[in-house]
Amino acid sequence: MKNTRIPFLYMACLLLVGVLMAAIPAADNTGYQVGDTARDFKLKNVDGKMVSMADYKDAKGFIVTFTCNTCPYSVAYEDRLIELHNKYAPQGYPIIAINPNDVKVSPKDSYKDMQVRAKEKNFPFPYVYDETQEITKAYGATRTPHLYVVQKQKDGSFKVAYIGTIDDNSREPEKVQKKYAEAALDELVAGKAVSQPTTKAIGCTIKWREA
């Protein structure tokens, strides 16, 4: 008699995996690529005011950074983000930091906790909350931190010039060999095309709202 138990168990396992995969909330991975036009946004800053890129009339572009309070990678890069902003904001490229994490999945990424963290670190840039995760999905961010350097065009739109990470060593800043974001920004400021427009974002996965 032919043993039908093994095929039955195999099919049952496949069905279970399919159900589990379907239950995991997924992001829309059809985000921006280099060269795409990035949408503006209007998100609530830690000071209670709404922030958009259009507010910065003299900006040449932005370092749009998806980050959060809780990810060890984000925390490790906070001081470097402050340095990045202080160096490039005067050259026309300020940082706007966006917290993409859902508060129900990651309670310590609440708006109130954002306010506390921003005050503790004395962030010199806006730290805004993407409560609906609409902007995060539009950009295609998947990690914290995840950088999108956008350049302002003559028509007022914003073109994506760089996507990826800040540098090549999240844990030991003194051992950084390649400063990818700075290299991209230096080229943009000099009026050149970015020679390495994409790198792999290293960090924690974004905490998506449960379906």
Side-chain angles (χ1 to χ4, degrees):
M1 182 177 176
K2 190 175 180 180
N3 188 348
T4 60
R5 181 175 178 80
I6 293 177
F8 174 80
L9 289 174
Y10 177 75
M11 291 301 295
C13 288
L14 283 179
L15 180 61
L16 179 60
V17 169
V19 170
L20 290 173
M21 289 299 291
I24 297 173
D28 182 359
N29 290 323
T30 59
Y32 297 138
Q33 304 296 318
V34 170
D36 287 348
T37 298
R39 62 175 288 186
D40 201 351
F41 44 77
K42 202 170 189 68
L43 298 173
K44 190 176 181 180
N45 190 20
V46 289
D47 63 2
K49 298 178 181 179
M50 303 302 287
V51 170
S52 69
M53 293 190 288
D55 296 334
Y56 295 74
K57 304 301 181 185
D58 297 326
K60 297 177 181 178
F62 295 90
I63 309 165
V64 179
T65 306
F66 294 88
T67 187
C68 67
N69 302 331
T70 57
C71 173
Y73 291 92
S74 292
V75 173
Y77 273 116
E78 285 175 336
D79 289 339
R80 277 172 277 183
L81 282 177
I82 293 171
E83 291 173 3
L84 203 62
H85 175 83
N86 288 339
K87 180 176 181 179
Y88 291 100
Q91 300 182 67
Y93 286 86
I95 283 179
I96 298 179
I98 301 176
N99 178 5
N101 285 346
D102 181 69
V103 68
K104 290 183 179 179
V105 181
S106 182
K108 289 296 183 179
D109 280 316
S110 70
Y111 180 72
K112 287 185 177 180
D113 286 303
M114 288 173 59
Q115 291 177 310
V116 171
R117 190 60 182 167
K119 186 175 181 180
E120 288 175 346
K121 295 298 296 184
N122 194 25
F123 286 155
F125 47 76
Y127 185 25
V128 302
Y129 186 34
D130 184 16
E131 186 173 4
T132 67
Q133 301 184 321
E134 179 183 349
I135 300 303
T136 306
K137 291 178 180 179
Y139 275 67
T142 58
R143 303 276 173 177
T144 54
H146 203 155
L147 268 66
Y148 290 74
V149 177
V150 300
Q151 186 178 37
K152 192 174 184 179
Q153 305 299 296
K154 290 182 179 179
D155 63 0
S157 63
F158 299 96
K159 181 180 178 181
V160 179
Y162 172 80
I163 302 174
T165 189
I166 299 170
D167 56 42
D168 65 351
N169 197 321
S170 60
R171 296 186 179 184
E172 299 176 279
E174 69 278 2
K175 294 184 179 180
V176 168
Q177 298 294 315
K178 295 181 179 180
K179 297 182 177 182
Y180 301 115
E182 285 197 26
L185 286 157
D186 285 341
E187 288 174 323
L188 290 173
V189 169
K192 300 177 181 179
V194 177
S195 57
Q196 188 173 359
T198 59
T199 56
K200 183 179 180 180
I202 304 297
C204 306
T205 56
I206 287 173
K207 305 305 181 282
W208 300 105
R209 179 177 294 182
E210 295 178 355

